[in-house]
Amino acid sequence: MSKLIAVIGGTGLCDWPGATQLDEIEVDTAYGKPSAPLHRLRYEDAEFLFLARHGEGHSLPPHAINYRANIEALRQAGVGEIIAVNAVGGISERFVAGVIGLPEQINDYTWGREHTFYDGRDGNVQHIDFSYPYCEELRLRLCAAAQTAGIDVEPYGTYAVTQGPRLETAAEIKRLARDGNDMVGMTAMPEAALAREAGIDYASVCLVVNPGAGLSDTLITMDDIQAVIDNGMSQVKSLLAHCISAH
């Protein structure tokens, strides 16, 4: 039996123009309300649940997102697989603006976020195996869908997760590069770990929207980032639709 799939949309994918809404689900959890209602959508031949990570209207910065409520809401809805969409900065040479990456590893540099369901308050403490933070089977399905759709992707990479909401300094990007990171964003953690704790398969589609600080001759502007998002998210959505409809 196929698992129910959810897409968590990030910067550039807070809504889904062109999709048919089949249902809107209001959810409350023991951790509070999720960022937005869950939307059951049909896009091309794909049906899935959609959650806007930053809220409808992109009102929540990365460090203020209630990641626990988001994952718990999807768990309550019966979701078995999550495909997360992330806008990221590029660090290694393979990850220039416009590239779509399917990472297989994470380095977590965040702090102060509510990052686990097992916080000890209910007397239940568990230690999950997080050696491989992304579901390899789901990641390989995304790779296969990209090939079918004729979309070029970078099939491997390490995602550095920073606190935000500011972008990084040039010195920080140099450190992240020394640590072996290929891309940098602000939302993969604790989302990926919470999905693992909840028993939900999790993979990520990352759109590189800017070079990391100090890696280009010009300053990073939101206009430049938005231009890449406008061009790249159509490919991301096509990739998602091919992956979900083939499920």
Side-chain angles (χ1 to χ4, degrees), residues 157-193:
T158 297
Y159 182 143
V161 196
T162 56
Q163 181 71 357
R166 69 168 176 83
L167 299 178
E168 299 74 34
T169 68
E172 287 168 337
I173 291 297
K174 287 181 179 179
R175 180 188 64 161
L176 296 178
R178 289 195 299 269
D179 286 352
N181 297 293
D182 297 294
M183 64 194 90
V184 57
M186 303 173 189
T187 52
M189 288 293 287
E191 196 172 87

Side-chain angles (χ1 to χ4, degrees), residues 204-222:
S204 177
V205 177
C206 294
L207 175 64
V208 181
V209 298
N210 61 271
L215 299 181
S216 69
D217 296 331
T218 59
L219 294 178
I220 300 167
T221 70
M222 293 312 297

Side-chain angles (χ1 to χ4, degrees), residues 100-143:
I100 296 172
L102 306 177
E104 91 281 7
Q105 275 298 334
I106 289 173
N107 273 321
D108 186 11
Y109 301 88
T110 64
W111 49 269
R113 302 181 182 190
E114 293 284 1
H115 64 282
T116 180
F117 295 120
Y118 300 120
D119 56 15
R121 295 174 191 174
D122 62 358
N124 181 22
V125 177
Q126 300 288 334
H127 303 281
I128 60 166
D129 183 345
F130 205 51
S131 303
Y132 303 98
Y134 294 106
C135 172
E136 183 65 1
E137 190 272 337
L138 181 54
R139 198 184 67 81
L140 290 176
R141 277 177 24 217
L142 285 164
C143 290

Side-chain angles (χ1 to χ4, degrees), residues 60-76:
L60 296 170
H63 69 286
I65 293 167
N66 190 338
Y67 294 95
R68 293 197 299 181
N70 286 353
I71 297 300
E72 176 61 13
L74 295 175
R75 187 195 66 78
Q76 288 182 20

